[in-house]
Amino acid sequence: MRTIDQYNFAGKKALVRVDFNVPLDSEYNITDDTRIRAAVPTINKILNDGGAVILMSHLGRPKNGPEEKFSLRHLVPRLEQEFKTRVLFAPDCVGPEAAQLAQELQPGEILLLENLRFHKAEEKGDPDFAKELASLGDVYVNDAFGTAHREHASTAVIARYFPTDKMMGYVMQAELENARRVLGNAERPYTAIMGGAKISDKILIIEKLLDRVDNLLIGGGMSFTFVKADGGQIGSSLVEEDKLDLANRLIKMAKDKGVNIMIPVDSVIADAFSNDANIDTKLSHHIPQNWMGLDIGPDAREQYAAVIANSKTILWNGPMGVFEMSNFSVGTEAVADAVVAATANGAYSLIGGGDSAAAVNKFGYADRVSYVSTGGGALLEYMEGKTLPGVAALERNDY
Ligand SMILES: Nc1ncnc2c1ncn2[C@@H]1O[C@H](COP(=O)(O)OP(=O)(O)O)[C@@H](O)[C@H]1O
Ligand SMILES: O=C(OP(=O)(O)O)[C@H](O)COP(=O)(O)O
């Protein structure tokens, strides 16, 4: 497949789909810039060739149009600091202003478009919306590995309007190369660790992973759907009611396949979603009403660390708890400690996802694991053997 190394961007306007879905704090400061730093070489290659860059991304999951907390405008200062140049901003990703800014864009300049998901057409994969985005640039570069599992207007459909001038950027290239290395020849025991908050997305991936891994450690918000499915009392913990049957089936399926699937035996619980809440530790099956599980407990930490210590390949997506709050970061840090120790003993560790990468950076472990991926769901779907729509769209001409 074509990469940007085979292309001279001189005089071209490159429309670059990046994954700038970075975590922001309540004052809109970027708390982890891994995804921005990852995209720098691609952007620099285009600028150094004498091209102009039009950046498009989503941020978060806005449901009802524009919302301040999901605005990509908050990223402009960070980009200006990185590229030591003014970064233009289009307050809507399509429409006359974006078109004019793109048209007037000069070689060496960068234009950032507002959050694509402020338009429902993005996630619907609307061809007209994709076409309007496509009209802004001469060439399409997809460097958004973290969003390559989505078949959206900017990640897949848009490729049809660039029958020849479409290619992957350096992030996509490096991520696929790394993941491919593990995909076909993971040394065993192979352990997947899954947590985080995107339950409905990620629970669907488990079935396929069961064919590949020896151990599956579940933590984070995802745990409680499994605990409830198993008859436990989970208080007000995060749960996906419509996935309870699936969770039961997955546990049975794991047993049938001989996969060691583990749900945290105990949890750190709180009476509010706050670092200042009252805190206790309870068996995950016995969480009182109005209390919620926000981290894995001490026994689960110990059990998970033991499994990780025996693993030769480790694939981890999704924090074990609300690691952004210090009182609920212990489980994630304990698992990270165990992954670092296993890596030092020769295991290959692959950790991915916006928040998982943030956690690894927070603990200062980025250099002590084998690979930190910008993709979470995308990485898992790739590792289950699926073709990612964002990658397929660059290969095909019939989108
Ligand atoms: N028990 C829990 N309850 C609620 N949220 C949780 C829980 N455990 C983890 N989380 C949250 O999950 C989020 C990360 O989920 P996700 O987006 O799936 O991970 P990633 O970005 O690494 O793919 C974090 O913001 C974290 O606070
Ligand atoms: O953060 C992302 O995925 P991740 O949480 O799996 O790492 C990507 O930006 C995709 O976002 P989405 O899951 O809202 O489509």
Short mmCIF file of all heavy atoms in Angstrom, two decimals, residues 257-281:
data_model
loop_
_atom_site.label_atom_id
_atom_site.label_comp_id
_atom_site.label_asym_id
_atom_site.label_seq_id
_atom_site.Cartn_x
_atom_site.Cartn_y
_atom_site.Cartn_z
N LYS A 257 -13.40 -23.17 25.59
CA LYS A 257 -12.17 -23.06 24.79
C LYS A 257 -10.91 -23.20 25.65
O LYS A 257 -9.79 -23.08 25.14
CB LYS A 257 -12.13 -21.70 24.08
CG LYS A 257 -13.14 -21.55 22.94
CD LYS A 257 -13.05 -20.15 22.34
CE LYS A 257 -14.23 -19.84 21.43
NZ LYS A 257 -14.15 -20.44 20.11
N GLY A 258 -11.10 -23.36 26.94
CA GLY A 258 -9.95 -23.51 27.83
C GLY A 258 -9.21 -22.21 28.08
O GLY A 258 -8.03 -22.21 28.44
N VAL A 259 -9.91 -21.09 27.89
CA VAL A 259 -9.28 -19.79 28.18
C VAL A 259 -9.58 -19.41 29.63
O VAL A 259 -10.71 -19.52 30.09
CB VAL A 259 -9.81 -18.69 27.23
CG1 VAL A 259 -9.24 -17.32 27.61
CG2 VAL A 259 -9.50 -19.03 25.78
N ASN A 260 -8.55 -18.98 30.33
CA ASN A 260 -8.70 -18.54 31.71
C ASN A 260 -9.21 -17.11 31.74
O ASN A 260 -8.44 -16.16 31.60
CB ASN A 260 -7.33 -18.66 32.41
CG ASN A 260 -7.33 -18.03 33.77
OD1 ASN A 260 -8.33 -18.07 34.49
ND2 ASN A 260 -6.19 -17.44 34.14
N ILE A 261 -10.53 -16.94 31.87
CA ILE A 261 -11.11 -15.60 31.90
C ILE A 261 -11.28 -15.21 33.37
O ILE A 261 -11.78 -15.99 34.17
CB ILE A 261 -12.44 -15.53 31.12
CG1 ILE A 261 -12.93 -14.09 30.95
CG2 ILE A 261 -13.52 -16.38 31.72
CD1 ILE A 261 -14.07 -13.94 29.94
N MET A 262 -10.82 -14.02 33.74
CA MET A 262 -10.88 -13.61 35.15
C MET A 262 -11.62 -12.28 35.31
O MET A 262 -11.35 -11.32 34.58
CB MET A 262 -9.47 -13.49 35.73
CG MET A 262 -8.75 -14.83 35.79
SD MET A 262 -7.07 -14.69 36.43
CE MET A 262 -7.39 -14.62 38.18
N ILE A 263 -12.53 -12.28 36.26
CA ILE A 263 -13.28 -11.07 36.63
C ILE A 263 -12.73 -10.68 38.01
O ILE A 263 -12.46 -11.57 38.82
CB ILE A 263 -14.80 -11.41 36.78
CG1 ILE A 263 -15.31 -12.25 35.60
CG2 ILE A 263 -15.64 -10.15 36.97
CD1 ILE A 263 -15.20 -11.60 34.27
N PRO A 264 -12.54 -9.40 38.30
CA PRO A 264 -11.95 -9.04 39.60
C PRO A 264 -12.77 -9.57 40.78
O PRO A 264 -13.96 -9.29 40.85
CB PRO A 264 -11.94 -7.50 39.58
CG PRO A 264 -12.64 -7.07 38.35
CD PRO A 264 -12.85 -8.24 37.47
N VAL A 265 -12.12 -10.31 41.67
CA VAL A 265 -12.86 -10.86 42.82
C VAL A 265 -13.31 -9.75 43.74
O VAL A 265 -14.37 -9.80 44.34
CB VAL A 265 -12.01 -11.87 43.65
CG1 VAL A 265 -11.98 -13.21 42.99
CG2 VAL A 265 -10.64 -11.35 43.96
N ASP A 266 -12.47 -8.72 43.87
CA ASP A 266 -12.85 -7.62 44.75
C ASP A 266 -12.65 -6.28 44.03
O ASP A 266 -11.94 -6.21 43.02
CB ASP A 266 -12.07 -7.65 46.07
CG ASP A 266 -10.56 -7.70 45.88
OD1 ASP A 266 -10.11 -7.81 44.71
OD2 ASP A 266 -9.84 -7.63 46.88
N SER A 267 -13.30 -5.26 44.57
CA SER A 267 -13.26 -3.94 43.93
C SER A 267 -13.11 -2.86 44.99
O SER A 267 -13.60 -3.02 46.13
CB SER A 267 -14.55 -3.67 43.15
OG SER A 267 -14.66 -4.56 42.06
N VAL A 268 -12.46 -1.78 44.60
CA VAL A 268 -12.46 -0.57 45.43
C VAL A 268 -13.74 0.18 45.05
O VAL A 268 -13.97 0.44 43.86
CB VAL A 268 -11.22 0.29 45.17
CG1 VAL A 268 -11.29 1.59 45.97
CG2 VAL A 268 -9.95 -0.49 45.51
N ILE A 269 -14.55 0.45 46.06
CA ILE A 269 -15.86 1.07 45.77
C ILE A 269 -15.95 2.46 46.42
O ILE A 269 -15.20 2.77 47.34
CB ILE A 269 -17.03 0.17 46.23
CG1 ILE A 269 -17.00 -0.02 47.76
CG2 ILE A 269 -16.96 -1.20 45.54
CD1 ILE A 269 -18.28 -0.66 48.31
N ALA A 270 -16.87 3.27 45.89
CA ALA A 270 -17.03 4.63 46.39
C ALA A 270 -18.52 4.98 46.38
O ALA A 270 -19.29 4.40 45.63
CB ALA A 270 -16.25 5.60 45.50
N ASP A 271 -18.90 5.95 47.22
CA ASP A 271 -20.32 6.33 47.25
C ASP A 271 -20.61 7.52 46.33
O ASP A 271 -21.71 8.06 46.34
CB ASP A 271 -20.81 6.59 48.69
CG ASP A 271 -20.09 7.76 49.36
OD1 ASP A 271 -19.17 8.33 48.74
OD2 ASP A 271 -20.46 8.10 50.51
N ALA A 272 -19.61 7.93 45.55
CA ALA A 272 -19.81 8.96 44.53
C ALA A 272 -18.66 8.86 43.53
O ALA A 272 -17.60 8.32 43.86
CB ALA A 272 -19.83 10.35 45.15
N PHE A 273 -18.87 9.40 42.34
CA PHE A 273 -17.82 9.36 41.31
C PHE A 273 -16.88 10.55 41.56
O PHE A 273 -16.89 11.54 40.85
CB PHE A 273 -18.45 9.45 39.92
CG PHE A 273 -17.48 9.19 38.80
CD1 PHE A 273 -17.11 7.90 38.48
CD2 PHE A 273 -16.94 10.23 38.07
CE1 PHE A 273 -16.21 7.64 37.45
CE2 PHE A 273 -16.04 10.00 37.04
CZ PHE A 273 -15.68 8.70 36.73
N SER A 274 -16.10 10.42 42.65
CA SER A 274 -15.24 11.54 43.04
C SER A 274 -14.08 11.00 43.86
O SER A 274 -14.22 10.04 44.63
CB SER A 274 -16.07 12.52 43.88
OG SER A 274 -15.22 13.31 44.68
N ASN A 275 -12.95 11.66 43.76
CA ASN A 275 -11.78 11.26 44.52
C ASN A 275 -12.00 11.49 46.02
O ASN A 275 -11.33 10.89 46.85
CB ASN A 275 -10.56 12.05 44.03
CG ASN A 275 -9.25 11.34 44.36
OD1 ASN A 275 -9.16 10.11 44.28
ND2 ASN A 275 -8.25 12.09 44.77
N ASP A 276 -12.93 12.37 46.36
CA ASP A 276 -13.20 12.70 47.77
C ASP A 276 -14.35 11.88 48.35
O ASP A 276 -14.77 12.13 49.49
CB ASP A 276 -13.57 14.19 47.91
CG ASP A 276 -12.48 15.07 47.31
OD1 ASP A 276 -11.30 14.70 47.48
OD2 ASP A 276 -12.81 16.08 46.68
N ALA A 277 -14.86 10.95 47.60
CA ALA A 277 -15.99 10.14 48.08
C ALA A 277 -15.55 9.24 49.23
O ALA A 277 -14.34 9.07 49.47
CB ALA A 277 -16.51 9.28 46.93
N ASN A 278 -16.51 8.66 49.95
CA ASN A 278 -16.16 7.61 50.92
C ASN A 278 -15.75 6.37 50.14
O ASN A 278 -16.36 6.05 49.11
CB ASN A 278 -17.37 7.30 51.80
CG ASN A 278 -17.70 8.47 52.69
OD1 ASN A 278 -16.82 8.96 53.43
ND2 ASN A 278 -18.93 8.95 52.61
N ILE A 279 -14.72 5.69 50.65
CA ILE A 279 -14.14 4.57 49.89
C ILE A 279 -14.13 3.31 50.76
O ILE A 279 -13.95 3.39 51.98
CB ILE A 279 -12.69 4.95 49.47
CG1 ILE A 279 -12.76 6.13 48.49
CG2 ILE A 279 -11.97 3.77 48.83
CD1 ILE A 279 -11.41 6.67 48.11
N ASP A 280 -14.31 2.17 50.11
CA ASP A 280 -14.27 0.89 50.82
C ASP A 280 -13.80 -0.17 49.83
O ASP A 280 -13.70 0.10 48.62
CB ASP A 280 -15.69 0.56 51.32
CG ASP A 280 -15.68 -0.43 52.48
OD1 ASP A 280 -14.60 -0.98 52.78
OD2 ASP A 280 -16.76 -0.64 53.07
N THR A 281 -13.51 -1.35 50.32
CA THR A 281 -13.18 -2.47 49.43
C THR A 281 -14.16 -3.60 49.72
O THR A 281 -14.38 -3.93 50.89
CB THR A 281 -11.73 -2.96 49.70
OG1 THR A 281 -10.85 -1.88 49.41
CG2 THR A 281 -11.38 -4.13 48.82
#
